[in-house]
Amino acid sequence: MPKRFLIIPNLTDGTIKYEIGAYYISKNNLFVPKKIAEYTDLSFLLPQNIEQLLDNIANLSLTEEEIEAKKLQLEDDIERKLKEINQRLHDEQDIVVGSRVKLIAGLVMAGLGVKGKVSPLKVDDLRGELGSQINDGAIIMSRVSEYLQTKELPSEKRLIIENELRGVFNNSSLYRPINGESKLHTTYSDVKANIIPFLTGELHNLDFTGRMFNVLNAWVDVPDGDKNDVVLTPRYVTELMAKLCNVNMNSYVWDFATGSGGFLISAMHEMIADVKDKIKSPAEQEAKIAKIKMEQLLGIEKLSEIYMLAVLNMILMKDGSANIIKGNSLTDFMGTYEQGKHKGKEFPANVFLLNPPYSAEGKGFIFVEKALSLMHHGGMAAVLIQENAGSGNGTPYTKNILKNNTLVASIRMSDIFCGKASVQTAIYVFRVGEPHSTDSIVRFIDFSNDGYTRQNRKKSSQSVNLRDTGNAKERYAEVVKLVRHGKGLNDANLNFFVDGETYFEDQISLDGNDWTIQQHRKFNVIPSIEDFQKVVKDYLSWRVGEVLKNEGDVSLGKQ
């Protein structure tokens, strides 16, 4: 409990007065100092005052704004450190792009350890020896294997991860010493000093590899790289989509192109918050949260490097990785658990969240059609996709989807992928298992102005590249209200949106080709007297300006 002492001399009588500020720091508050009170002396530490002091401390907690600010700071720090490591891997270590994601993932696993079971790898354990079982790569792989076994991952998943990593750590150019030190030794020293501290204790409760994926996206060797559509969905968007689907502690959430697991982690946070709100017994809370992580989240990812990030991300979230599956969700997955005690049984999905690869058929709607066809328990779905997929480019999948599901909302998004993907996106929200009727009302929202100002400075952190300059948090909350409840009586939910302009309700056909807001926006083509007056005013203003620029020519009719 650190204290701040401020000594202020009294210039009139020569005495010295003291002001004492007491602060409390705890892991529950993410180690952010919280002020207890101001004191004029140390009597607050006397035995008779301790109970009051402890009561004051018990009531200290971070506000939502403070928690968000701390998360952003940590994410910015992680991003900066990763960029620095990436630069060193390129400039000093000459490690090829295709190996870097697996390299960092493996080193993180080796460096974390499992308390009381597997000690974290020490830098001194890497001695630059060349024996097949004692070289630096073999030592790291041994520690990774122990880490994964202790985490009790299903054997199928453990073998997939080990096989993927072994190809990197068995590379002699990485474990062979140069001047007594291997590249693995040098890189691990960097990771141990600059990354592992973010992942220990309680400070790591954020989507670490979501930000890692954002930084390392250029490292991933994606086939057809010229049309690389593997783009991280920003955390504030994954959180929005989880809220649009009203995710709660009883949700079963899946993602058919899971990337680094960002959607599942946002869903997990919503589910756990609901648990803590509704279940008061600590024992019951713990059991339900364990069930959520082990049974109620499922993701599928085809690309090896990204799959590695998803598994690592969910492990860091105190292990929601049980149902992260490596495979092609279109051809290899039939809607069942593929490992663990429920293997072979149906995954009872009632929430579907997705940002599909937009190069897939129907701009990615092929994934949506399959996922919704496997959802037999109703529920909701939110899909972030190229907006024009809803104006004909997503057929026939969009048309087929309406046969068994209702389009609830169409949300035109802002430039959320600023600099990473030059596409206009939309979020389409569905009610699953209810065929769309021509009488069904769709809520159209123009969210082009979401309150954020964006720029794409590659060496700048997210806090610089993404700034809340227009009530972004409140705007996102309003979108959730509008999708769930509509505008309400007397436009009760319209504080940032304008009825008939940026929000309106309309019907669609059953052809699946008229889902965009532009196709339903109504324009008033009859000019008013005010329109006429404005045109005349603007014209006269322009002509007077022209006259003043050309002294001597006073003929307004001269062109």
Side-chain angles (χ1 to χ4, degrees), residues 510-525:
L510 299 182
D511 296 326
N513 59 5
D514 59 344
W515 294 4
T516 70
I517 192 168
Q518 291 300 104
Q519 293 171 287
H520 294 266
R521 196 186 295 274
K522 295 176 176 60
F523 297 96
N524 184 3
V525 296

Side-chain angles (χ1 to χ4, degrees), residues 63-80:
T63 64
E64 288 296 323
E65 290 75 16
E66 288 173 322
I67 292 172
E68 186 63 23
K70 185 63 178 180
K71 283 183 178 180
L72 289 175
Q73 177 204 322
L74 289 171
E75 288 181 341
D76 281 352
D77 290 345
I78 289 169
E79 182 175 330
R80 177 172 52 82

Side-chain angles (χ1 to χ4, degrees), residues 133-236:
Q133 302 301 314
I134 57 174
N135 66 66
D136 289 352
I139 290 172
I140 292 169
M141 276 307 305
S142 174
R143 197 61 57 97
V144 169
S145 296
E146 291 177 0
Y147 174 84
L148 294 174
Q149 281 186 323
T150 306
K151 284 292 186 179
E152 299 181 351
L153 266 67
S155 59
E156 308 98 312
K157 177 176 295 180
R158 192 171 67 246
L159 290 174
I160 289 173
I161 296 172
E162 290 177 0
N163 288 338
E164 292 289 344
L165 294 179
R166 196 169 283 115
V168 173
F169 291 100
N170 282 356
N171 186 340
S172 61
S173 68
L174 297 184
Y175 70 67
R176 189 178 300 279
I178 301 173
N179 298 325
E181 184 173 299
S182 70
K183 292 182 179 179
L184 289 177
H185 182 285
T186 304
T187 305
Y188 182 64
S189 299
D190 212 346
V191 170
K192 184 79 170 177
N194 294 306
I195 301 300
I196 297 299
F198 287 105
L199 310 178
T200 54
E202 296 298 319
L203 287 182
H204 74 273
N205 189 24
L206 52 89
D207 179 6
F208 162 69
T209 50
R211 182 61 68 90
M212 180 176 180
F213 182 50
N214 195 29
V215 178
L216 309 191
N217 189 30
W219 306 10
V220 179
D221 185 17
V222 180
D224 301 320
D226 58 321
K227 61 178 183 180
N228 185 351
D229 52 3
V230 180
V231 184
L232 170 71
T233 308
R235 177 166 62 88
Y236 60 91

Side-chain angles (χ1 to χ4, degrees), residues 398-416:
T398 48
K399 182 176 182 178
N400 294 337
I401 286 168
L402 294 180
K403 294 176 181 177
N404 296 295
N405 309 278
T406 297
L407 180 64
V408 174
S410 168
I411 308 168
R412 187 174 222 257
M413 297 299 288
S414 184
D415 184 17
I416 59 173

Side-chain angles (χ1 to χ4, degrees), residues 315-376:
I315 287 175
L316 292 173
M317 292 295 107
K318 299 292 180 65
D319 193 7
S321 71
N323 297 298
I324 303 297
I325 300 166
K326 184 177 183 298
N328 186 326
S329 56
L330 297 177
T331 59
D332 304 335
F333 182 67
M334 295 309 296
T336 61
Y337 291 96
E338 294 202 357
Q339 48 209 16
K341 67 179 183 179
H342 296 299
K343 184 175 180 179
K345 296 181 180 178
E346 177 194 5
F347 182 82
N350 54 20
V351 172
F352 177 55
L353 301 172
L354 181 72
N355 173 17
Y358 51 72
S359 60
E361 292 182 40
K363 296 289 186 179
F365 263 116
I366 186 173
F367 289 91
V368 183
E369 181 185 27
K370 178 168 182 180
L372 301 192
S373 72
L374 295 173
M375 293 175 67
H376 303 138

Side-chain angles (χ1 to χ4, degrees), residues 100-139:
R100 294 180 197 172
V101 171
K102 295 176 184 177
L103 175 67
I104 297 297
L107 293 178
V108 166
M109 292 181 194
L112 286 175
V114 180
K115 188 175 181 180
K117 297 179 180 179
V118 179
S119 60
L121 182 69
K122 299 177 182 177
V123 175
D124 292 342
D125 293 336
L126 305 178
R127 297 182 291 274
E129 300 185 28
L130 293 175
S132 61
Q133 302 301 314
I134 57 174
N135 66 66
D136 289 352
I139 290 172

Side-chain angles (χ1 to χ4, degrees), residues 27 119 173 212 243 253 300 308 333-334 439 444 494 554:
K27 67 181 182 181
S119 60
S173 68
M212 180 176 180
K243 288 180 170 67
V253 184
I300 310 158
M308 196 73 57
F333 182 67
M334 295 309 296
D439 295 327
F444 291 91
L494 293 174
V554 295

